[in-house]
Amino acid sequence: MSIRRENPARHVEIVGRVDPVTRNVPDRVDDAVRAAHIAFRGWSGTPLDDRLAALGRAADAIAGELDDLAVLLAREIGKPLPDCRGEIGFAVQHLRWVIEHAPAAYADRELDDAQGRLLTVRKPYGVVVAVTPWNAPVILAMLKLAAALAAGNTVIVKPSPLGPLTVDRLVRLLQAHLPDAAVQVLHGHAALVTALVTHRLVRKVAFTGGEDAGRAIAAAAADRLIPTVLELGGNDPAVFLPDAPFDDASMERLVMASFATAGQVCMAAKRLYVPRDRAGEFVDAYVAAAARVLVVGDPLIEGVTMGPLISAEARSRASDLAITAMGDVVDLGREADGYDEQAGYFLHPSLVVDPGPDSALIREEQFGPVVPLIPYDSEDQVLAMANDDDLGLGASVWSADEERAFAFARRLEAGFAFVNTHNRTGMSLRAPFGGVKRSGWGREYAEEGLAEYTQTCVVHAPAAFRAGGAGLSPTAYPS
């Protein structure tokens, strides 16, 4: 039976279908992995410049279909059309950034001096499995594909069943410019992921998604002693220090940092901490900003900035978090013309002021358009509250004094701390991104993201044993 993708803004509309691997899963996986393994021998042996040229042609092809891909993405996951154009454009930009920086990142490094001759080589792993989520499927697939393929690996992508269509098309565009089986896409569910991760010819796994799936992937990979890159969930605090300005531009950035993609973003601002004596001022500024920039409706309608949630289950969970939070619920934003709440999985965004400290809204990742505002009395108190979470993906600090913000940010338990912004407006291609604590390990973006897909291999001739060397005792330690 095919995987059928409905439009979450109009759930009676079927956007498309893909054929999953559900029968003879081990055999189908074995065929795909063996083909990728064979392709790896040729692709990794292709000169780097030629690999990058092929990826450059693929980047041009993706850019040429940006508008069509954006419409498909908006229809299958409910993200506003301008955001979809932005995501696909950013994916192309990232691929081109990798192409530009790969020669330096993957270059051999050689020292030949009085200590000897040392050659350091960056070598690809082989077959890489990339398991991707639905909420930003194009860029989160490209973060894995670009670096892995540039390094000489081959890649099998397993997209989320909730967002398979645009990723499938992305892979097809790449395939047109790469050798057979260098990049493949397989659709399916948990059994397919298990079969891929446990195949003896798979050498590395990259995953972005939820903690439960990440734990299962990590356990299966650990059993085979293969490395992983895991970018898991976040419960990101946004801390407003006592001197933080509540100006219009800052508040608008914060609103969209929480409610882009209806809050279904791992690095969204999910816990807002504000000085108690300024909480009323903050709420007024935040509500006013939301009225200006937060427009709920069908993602294909011009001017809409927040669409539906991905499913009825996601909507129900987010709604329950608001109801059970024991705080004052403030409705946010406005509705687009023709808004029909019953047509899709819409939920009106809200701010919950001063919820119970042990409420699920604070303790759990919401992944929906419901955000708590927590007043605090001192910087030590807010630091303790911000760090009192098992997750540690992102965080932000807001202050009129940049040095003060950086000093506070150093004390946060987060893999990425933004200053005076949050979420994608604070990202940079040169800044490595990833989590600490239970938010995962490994990094994407920047040189660290490129390095994730290569292994450091060394050739060494100590000076003592080169021609004319003095030699060493067979029991000597290196000096």
Side-chain angles (χ1 to χ4, degrees):
M1 181 180 294
S2 63
I3 293 174
R4 190 175 67 171
R5 187 67 210 121
E6 65 183 7
N7 183 337
R10 295 187 297 275
H11 53 71
V12 297
E13 174 190 324
I14 303 305
V15 181
R17 295 173 171 82
V18 292
D19 293 326
V21 178
T22 54
R23 297 182 179 179
N24 303 317
V25 173
D27 291 341
R28 291 280 302 278
V29 166
D30 187 60
D31 289 345
V33 175
R34 288 184 181 279
H37 181 66
I38 292 169
F40 167 68
R41 300 303 182 195
W43 181 242
S44 62
T46 300
L48 177 60
D49 286 348
D50 293 343
R51 293 201 303 267
L52 299 180
L55 290 171
R57 292 189 290 272
D60 292 342
I62 297 165
E65 297 201 14
L66 189 151
D67 287 339
D68 289 344
L69 290 169
V71 171
L72 177 60
L73 183 59
R75 292 175 63 215
E76 75 165 324
I77 70 169
K79 184 185 297 190
L81 185 57
D83 287 357
C84 293
R85 291 195 186 101
E87 177 181 337
I88 295 163
F90 185 53
V92 173
Q93 182 184 0
H94 174 71
L95 177 53
R96 289 175 172 154
W97 187 94
V98 169
I99 291 168
E100 178 185 353
H101 290 82
Y106 300 143
D108 295 349
R109 288 166 172 77
E110 188 165 359
L111 291 173
D112 194 342
D113 57 21
Q115 297 182 60
R117 184 178 177 187
L118 174 64
L119 173 65
T120 304
V121 180
R122 307 290 305 190
K123 292 186 178 181
Y125 283 91
V127 180
V128 173
V129 168
V131 184
T132 60
W134 61 265
N135 59 332
V138 176
I139 183 57
L140 292 174
M142 186 60 79
L143 287 174
K144 301 158 183 58
L145 284 163
L149 290 168
N153 302 281
T154 53
V155 185
I156 299 174
V157 182
K158 207 299 288 184
S160 167
L162 294 174
L165 303 176
T166 314
V167 174
D168 188 274
R169 181 60 186 149
L170 175 75
V171 172
R172 306 296 177 196
L173 289 168
L174 286 166
Q175 286 175 334
H177 300 277
L178 301 179
D180 289 345
V183 59
Q184 302 173 65
V185 59
L186 296 178
H187 299 283
H189 302 278
L192 174 61
V193 176
T194 300
L196 284 166
V197 175
T198 58
H199 194 286
R200 70 178 188 85
L201 293 178
V202 168
R203 298 292 183 246
K204 187 158 189 174
V205 180
F207 170 73
T208 301
E211 183 178 321
D212 290 343
R215 184 180 292 109
I217 288 171
D223 189 60
R224 291 196 50 240
L225 297 177
I226 62 171
T228 56
V229 177
L230 301 180
E231 196 256 270
L232 306 177
N235 193 11
D236 291 18
V239 178
F240 283 76
L241 296 180
D243 67 338
F246 300 159
D247 60 280
D248 290 353
S250 295
M251 291 296 98
E252 290 172 8
R253 285 198 304 279
L254 178 64
V255 166
M256 294 314 302
S258 290
F259 295 107
T261 318
Q264 301 167 117
V265 179
C266 59
M267 61 179 176
K270 298 188 175 78
R271 294 179 285 151
L272 313 183
Y273 291 97
V274 178
R276 190 176 302 278
D277 60 1
R278 300 188 67 194
E281 176 191 356
F282 179 91
V283 171
D284 290 345
Y286 191 83
V287 171
R292 293 191 298 271
V293 301
L294 200 54
V295 182
V296 185
D298 189 302
L300 293 178
I301 294 177
E302 185 176 354
V304 165
T305 58
M306 195 191 100
L309 281 85
I310 193 65
S311 67
E313 293 79 10
R315 178 179 61 184
S316 177
R317 179 180 178 275
S319 178
D320 289 346
L321 287 173
I323 292 170
T324 60
M326 302 295 290
D328 295 328
V329 179
V330 181
D331 285 339
L332 300 171
R334 51 196 168 88
E335 299 167 356
D337 292 341
Y339 173 73
D340 183 357
E341 185 174 1
Q342 303 305 313
Y345 304 122
F346 292 99
L347 181 65
H348 215 276
S350 60
L351 178 71
V352 181
V353 180
D354 203 8
D358 295 322
S359 67
L361 183 62
I362 295 175
R363 307 306 303 179
E364 299 177 9
E365 180 182 21
Q366 305 103 26
F367 225 67
V370 185
V371 178
L373 168 63
I374 305 104
Y376 71 86
D377 298 304
S378 71
E379 288 193 30
D380 286 343
Q381 181 196 32
V382 73
L383 179 68
M385 291 192 294
N387 287 339
D388 183 22
D389 197 276
D390 289 338
L391 302 179
L393 187 60
S396 62
V397 185
W398 304 67
S399 172
D401 183 340
E402 186 174 282
E403 290 302 318
R404 184 179 185 181
F406 267 70
F408 189 91
R410 282 177 175 271
R411 302 165 69 193
L412 288 169
E413 296 170 358
F416 198 112
F418 306 93
V419 171
N420 290 330
T421 192
H422 201 120
N423 207 330
R424 68 178 184 234
T425 57
M427 301 293 291
S428 170
L429 289 169
R430 69 177 188 173
F433 183 84
V436 299
K437 299 193 284 191
R438 274 175 31 202
S439 288
W441 51 75
R443 293 295 180 263
E444 295 183 311
Y445 296 102
E447 286 77 7
E448 287 88 340
L450 291 174
E452 289 285 359
Y453 295 94
T454 60
Q455 306 168 88
T456 301
C457 299
V458 167
V459 182
H460 185 217
F465 309 117
R466 299 179 74 184
L472 283 174
S473 163
T475 59
Y477 282 89
S479 60

